[in-house]
Amino acid sequence: AVVSTQSAITAGVVSNTWNSGNVGYAMYMDAAAMCVLGFGMLYTFSKYYVWGGVGLNYFICGFSFLWVNVAKTIVNAIWTGDWVKTKLNLTEMVTGCYITAAILISFGAIYGFTSPAQIILLCFIEPFMMLINEHVVLKNMHVKDAGGSLVVHAFGAYFGIAVAFGMGVKAKQIPSEHRNTTYFSDMGAMIGTVVLWMYWPSFNGATFYNDVTLQGRIVMNTYLAICASCAAAFPTSVLWHRGKMEMIEIQNATLAGGVMIGMICPFDIEPWTAVLIGGLAGVVSAGGYAWYHHFLEELGVTDSAAVQMLHGIPGLLGGVCAAFACLADNHNYMYSYDTEWTTSAASDRSRGEQFGWILLAIVCTLAISISSGLITGFLMNQPCCPTVGKKDMLIDHDFWDIHDLGSDPRSKVEAEDDGAVWANPMAVPMQAVASKKV
């Protein structure tokens, strides 16, 4: 019965190739838009670090899209013992987006207190460590992670937090005024949230071009989960804040379903399961922003953009969900036509064995990301890299040529006879604006 079922499914598979350009490039563009536009706009939330957020995000994308191809060649040579050039095609472009996304997540953890030189060092080192972890998890442990819950999101979050710890930066050292947002900076960040939300199904399913049936399942499961996290984040925020919503929670928790469903999105699960996973992600993420993030900062953990609440914890929970799904399933056929919750090299594993291997993959991801992040943070603090002083954190002016002194909270400009300059341009009284009109 199993053989006949697999044959029937295989017969119904519709192949697609990158060379046709009808799906491959469109999926790549969605993934690239998430990195460049989605993350870029999401990182404009800070009042005095808007240019740094979107500008450095843009630089990381351009640099990393190139450098990851070199890193892949080197890591593959280390693993196989053969030096083989990376063949550049749309597949490699999409995987480059995945690796770049991990770097952008790490950037969120150290957002605002790193110099461009330190960012370059981060971009050089992290792709190697992520690829090493990916090889261990996917090729040695034979654990599948289609949407990158572990190897992209969790790795990027905890690598970035470890970098901040290795740099010795404490959240309490950052001036509280510099951490404020404005009505309009939060609106810009919300645009990034909407872009990420729209394209997340493509991000999870972009590499599965050889089977549009499977790709369709990934897109549908991600669509259901991320809609559920959006629906759950709003009421959770209202409950935490006694009838009002907190914008930072809405900007991030609404996306958590796309992270948490990543590892299980190719599984043949019921729609209600995807909705349940996404809803749980929205509740956990919004609650984490409301309470757990501040608790961690009191303990000295620095995470500027709170990436642990969007990427770290939902990514780990996604691995746990996949482990229990394997444990509960009655057969191996959780993808459309192949034994794919593990690779063919380990297809004889039992459900219990695969459950254990997935949990081990979670531990491995945490170990590699945290240890390598600590070392990277230590290296970023060496004299070769200019550092940012405590009073200069989360301010654009040290690295950008900005003529608007009102966007620098350190400037104290006295009022003159012909007008005044306010330290916070968003706080200008409307009466004063009206009086200045000719």
Side-chain angles (χ1 to χ4, degrees):
V2 172
V3 174
S4 61
T5 300
Q6 183 173 356
S7 300
I9 295 174
T10 305
V13 170
V14 181
S15 295
N16 199 353
T17 63
W18 290 105
N19 293 332
S20 65
N22 56 347
V23 172
Y25 187 71
M27 286 287 195
Y28 158 74
M29 283 299 298
D30 291 351
M34 285 183 65
C35 292
V36 180
L37 183 59
F39 279 103
M41 293 303 297
L42 186 64
Y43 288 154
T44 62
F45 63 88
S46 178
K47 177 164 49 171
Y48 303 116
Y49 200 68
V50 175
W51 288 19
V54 70
L56 289 177
N57 183 95
Y58 191 19
F59 166 77
I60 291 171
C61 289
F63 182 88
S64 298
F65 284 167
L66 296 175
W67 175 245
V68 295
N69 296 297
V70 179
K72 282 186 282 189
T73 300
I74 296 173
V75 173
N76 288 333
I78 294 173
W79 229 258
T80 62
D82 297 324
W83 185 269
V84 180
K85 293 181 179 180
T86 299
K87 295 182 179 180
L88 297 180
N89 50 39
L90 281 171
T91 306
E92 298 301 330
M93 290 167 67
V94 172
T95 57
C97 289
Y98 292 163
I99 300 171
T100 301
I103 302 172
L104 296 174
I105 293 167
S106 299
F107 171 60
I110 57 176
Y111 172 96
F113 54 84
T114 46
S115 67
Q118 291 173 316
I119 294 296
I120 292 174
L121 184 59
L122 176 79
C123 293
F124 268 111
I125 297 176
E126 186 170 2
F128 286 103
M129 304 316 303
M130 181 194 166
L131 286 167
I132 289 172
N133 179 70
E134 185 181 75
H135 274 70
V136 172
V137 170
L138 303 185
K139 298 185 178 181
N140 291 68
M141 295 184 179
H142 304 291
V143 171
K144 288 287 186 178
D145 189 6
S149 291
L150 287 182
V151 298
V152 176
H153 298 285
F155 183 92
Y158 290 104
F159 184 93
I161 293 171
V163 167
F165 195 86
M167 293 176 64
V169 177
K170 305 297 182 184
K172 296 179 180 179
Q173 298 174 343
I174 304 175
S176 58
E177 182 187 359
H178 298 186
R179 306 185 70 182
N180 292 336
T181 64
T182 70
Y183 184 85
F184 291 99
S185 67
D186 272 330
M187 192 63 247
M190 193 64 190
I191 294 173
T193 296
V194 173
V195 171
L196 291 168
W197 192 85
M198 289 172 58
Y199 293 143
W200 213 293
S202 296
F203 185 84
N204 283 355
T207 58
F208 293 85
Y209 54 89
N210 282 330
D211 181 359
V212 295
T213 303
L214 172 58
Q215 192 176 61
R217 179 188 301 159
I218 293 172
V219 168
M220 182 56 65
N221 284 336
T222 306
Y223 162 79
L224 293 172
I226 203 166
C227 286
S229 64
C230 179
F234 280 87
T236 303
S237 183
V238 170
L239 290 174
W240 272 102
H241 301 284
R242 300 180 180 180
K244 291 190 176 183
M245 292 170 283
E246 181 66 38
M247 179 55 86
I248 189 173
E249 295 165 15
I250 302 304
Q251 289 166 354
N252 294 275
T254 53
L255 305 172
V259 177
M260 193 165 168
I261 198 69
M263 197 170 187
I264 199 176
C265 63
F267 288 21
D268 191 9
I269 56 178
E270 293 291 333
W272 66 264
T273 308
V275 173
L276 178 64
I277 291 172
L280 177 62
V283 171
V284 170
S285 182
Y289 276 100
W291 172 75
Y292 185 54
H293 178 64
H294 303 289
F295 173 74
L296 290 178
E297 287 193 342
E298 291 296 324
L299 296 179
V301 177
T302 305
D303 182 3
S304 288
V307 295
Q308 184 179 199
M309 305 308 155
L310 171 56
H311 303 278
I313 293 176
L316 297 179
L317 291 177
V320 173
C321 288
F324 277 100
C326 290
L327 190 64
D329 187 54
N330 294 323
H331 52 78
N332 276 357
Y333 300 99
M334 304 194 77
Y335 274 55
S336 60
Y337 64 93
D338 201 2
T339 306
E340 287 285 1
W341 50 249
T342 179
T343 58
S344 57
S347 58
D348 58 342
R349 286 181 183 169
S350 67
R351 300 191 302 274
E353 289 174 336
Q354 189 64 11
F355 174 85
W357 279 106
I358 292 177
L359 295 184
L360 184 60
I362 295 174
V363 174
C364 174
T365 299
L366 287 173
I368 294 178
S369 61
I370 293 174
S371 59
S372 58
L374 288 171
I375 296 172
T376 303
F378 173 78
L379 295 175
M380 288 168 64
N381 254 5
Q382 299 309 301
C384 61
C385 292
T387 58
V388 178
K390 295 180 178 62
K391 65 181 180 64
D392 304 321
M393 294 178 178
L394 284 171
I395 297 177
D396 279 329
H397 283 256
D398 284 358
F399 300 105
W400 296 87
D401 186 12
I402 304 175
H403 302 289
D404 176 17
L405 294 179
S407 60
D408 186 351
R410 300 166 301 181
S411 63
K412 302 295 182 181
V413 182
E414 299 296 334
E416 297 178 355
D417 294 338
D418 58 346
V421 178
W422 287 267
N424 178 7
M426 302 314 304
V428 178
M430 292 305 298
Q431 300 92 322
V433 174
S435 67
K436 294 289 289 184
K437 293 183 179 179
V438 178

